[in-house]
Amino acid sequence: MTLNNKKVGFLQIARFPHPRAKDIMTIGRIVIVPEFQGFGIGVKFMNEIARIYNGNRIRITTSLKPFMIALNKNKNWLCVRNGRVGKGGKNSSIHSSNKKSSKLSNDRITATFQYRGNYV
């Protein structure tokens, strides 16, 4: 993403590997240059990408509280899941065989949002 010929952001989107649902895509990473953060550029960028991939279910999972607040306020995004990541037990959706990485996820609050722009 550029603004006045200056690179200000990056977004990665990919098809979610689901055995039956072939229309799910996830935004795996969104990066906005620090000096441009806090102005809503990231959400506007995601809205434009979601419009390009119209007809797919676009989802993003985040643990950043300011981002959760911004997406909750935006009519184009619906929170479909929120809560804490479990400790790797049956209720956890994040599993890792690496003990160091699994400790980083324990008790982290995350939320998953789905784009609903054309459905509002």
Side-chain angles (χ1 to χ4, degrees), residues 25-105:
M25 300 190 79
T26 59
I27 296 172
R29 178 169 303 271
I30 181 164
V31 178
I32 302 297
V33 174
E35 63 192 79
F36 292 95
Q37 292 175 4
F39 299 105
I41 292 173
V43 174
K44 288 177 185 172
F45 190 17
M46 289 187 347
N47 287 340
E48 289 304 313
I49 295 299
R51 284 187 193 103
I52 290 169
Y53 288 96
N54 187 20
N56 291 284
R57 290 183 278 175
I58 311 295
R59 293 181 178 169
I60 184 168
T61 299
T62 184
S63 61
L64 298 173
K65 190 170 184 178
F67 203 43
M68 288 181 208
I69 292 168
L71 289 173
N72 266 322
K73 289 180 180 178
N74 191 293
K75 66 179 179 167
N76 292 319
W77 293 91
L78 174 68
C79 184
V80 294
R81 188 205 59 80
N82 65 32
R84 295 191 182 277
V85 174
K87 296 188 186 276
K90 292 179 186 175
N91 295 329
S92 175
S93 60
I94 297 177
H95 302 284
S96 174
S97 59
N98 181 339
K99 290 184 181 183
K100 286 183 181 179
S101 67
S102 65
K103 286 182 182 180
L104 296 175
S105 297

